[in-house]
Amino acid sequence: MKPFRRLLVPLAVATALVLPAATPAAADPGPPPTSMASLGDSITRGFNACGWYVDCTSRSFSTGDNSTVNSHYLRIRATNPAIDGRNHNDARSGAKSADMYGQAGTAVSQGVGYVTMLIGANDACTGTEAGMTPVATYRANIDAALNRLKAGLPDARVQLISVPDIHRLWSVGKDSGSARSAWSLFGVCQSMLANPTSTAQADVDRRNRVRQRVVDYNTQLAQACAAYGPNCDFDDNAVFGYPFTLSQLSAWDYFHPNASGQRVLASVSYAAGFGW
């Protein structure tokens, strides 16, 4: 499999959708944290947000320090300067939910007070529909990571961010020749993006099933966060529900958020979080 097939997916949404929701305890913001870490994949690494097929952590929506993005880190620093320089990007491009346990261990070793986790695009965005991570496996992976965080960082706040709607990616890019060429050349997210102009029922049904898998992942995130307790906050599908545009995606792969997309992701996810 080409490495590009494991690159992460951009922001997301499509038409309105009511997701089954857990009823979590009200998240407890506590005071603004003095340190933070981000867990995830190439979205969180800022991949393709500043250079050709490279990570650009300064433009990460979570822990980046680029003022044009205005990340979670910079928003917290504006209220609590004690966090200055204590922003750890533990994400890895190509990561899937199975990698979250290891990343959680890194965050524990750093002793941080706030953790963001955005993961699942690569679990759904695979070379084929059959290659997607089963929902039960995804949940088990999330629970393992959360249990490690809770045991090692019992007082830390954790924000789980909904998986972007990759069907929206297809919707905004299918009519762009440049996007279609990039998707084909790099083998991007073929579970969703294969045959992008096809209206055959088999392709329509496949796209809908892949989207449903993302919906199911987000349902599991909501439930896992509710089980974690008041130190965990799920974004209530704010990122899944954001109607991103083609202009917010990298013009190199039409898949990852560019700097503008990272800025929107920071704004949408932070507003749906602890509210420091």
Side-chain angles (χ1 to χ4, degrees):
M1 178 183 293
K2 294 180 180 178
F4 298 105
R5 291 179 179 170
R6 299 193 65 205
L7 300 177
L8 276 191
V9 135
L11 302 175
V13 88
T15 56
L17 178 76
V18 177
L19 302 178
T23 305
D28 176 11
T34 59
S35 58
M36 70 173 294
S38 55
L39 315 184
D41 45 50
S42 55
I43 297 178
T44 302
R45 293 293 293 178
F47 187 88
N48 266 359
C50 70
W52 169 257
Y53 282 91
V54 294
D55 292 343
C56 191
T57 55
S58 67
R59 286 171 171 78
S60 168
F61 77 92
S62 177
T63 48
D65 58 8
N66 184 280
S67 61
T68 62
V69 170
N70 199 16
S71 67
H72 288 216
Y73 163 67
L74 290 181
R75 291 164 192 260
I76 295 168
R77 196 178 70 176
T79 63
N80 185 10
I83 200 174
D84 188 43
R86 303 184 69 189
N87 49 325
H88 308 280
N89 193 317
D90 300 327
R92 292 294 177 267
S93 291
K96 293 187 177 184
S97 59
D99 299 301
M100 292 303 96
Y101 182 81
Q103 291 185 21
T106 301
V108 168
S109 72
Q110 293 159 343
V112 298
Y114 174 49
V115 179
T116 67
M117 183 189 298
L118 171 55
I119 196 69
N122 284 336
D123 292 270
C125 227
T126 54
T128 64
E129 182 185 354
M132 295 189 297
T133 302
V135 176
T137 302
Y138 178 83
R139 174 59 184 274
N141 292 337
I142 296 301
D143 282 343
L146 291 180
N147 287 340
R148 193 168 197 183
L149 289 174
K150 193 169 189 177
L153 300 170
D155 298 323
R157 270 49 178 181
V158 179
Q159 185 181 15
L160 298 188
I161 299 169
S162 53
V163 183
D165 185 351
I166 59 178
H167 190 277
R168 173 74 180 181
L169 171 66
W170 166 79
S171 178
V172 301
K174 64 182 175 61
D175 296 324
S176 165
S178 297
R180 294 195 305 270
S181 294
W183 296 344
S184 176
L185 177 63
F186 299 130
V188 174
C189 194
Q190 293 300 282
S191 56
M192 174 64 74
L193 301 177
N195 306 322
T197 60
S198 172
T199 58
Q201 193 62 47
D203 287 315
V204 172
D205 291 345
R206 168 180 51 81
R207 294 179 198 120
N208 288 337
R209 287 192 299 269
V210 175
R211 184 173 191 264
Q212 184 61 47
R213 185 62 58 92
V214 172
V215 170
D216 293 342
Y217 290 164
N218 286 332
T219 299
Q220 295 306 311
L221 289 174
Q223 293 175 356
C225 197
Y228 193 98
N231 281 0
C232 183
D233 184 89
F234 177 60
D235 77 352
D236 296 324
N237 296 297
V239 167
F240 178 89
Y242 177 75
F244 70 89
T245 65
L246 197 65
S247 66
Q248 292 164 337
L249 304 180
S250 167
W252 293 314
D253 64 7
Y254 293 92
F255 189 63
H256 291 88
N258 57 22
S260 174
Q262 289 282 346
R263 181 172 65 249
V264 169
L265 179 53
S267 177
V268 170
S269 59
Y270 192 80
F274 288 97
W276 293 299

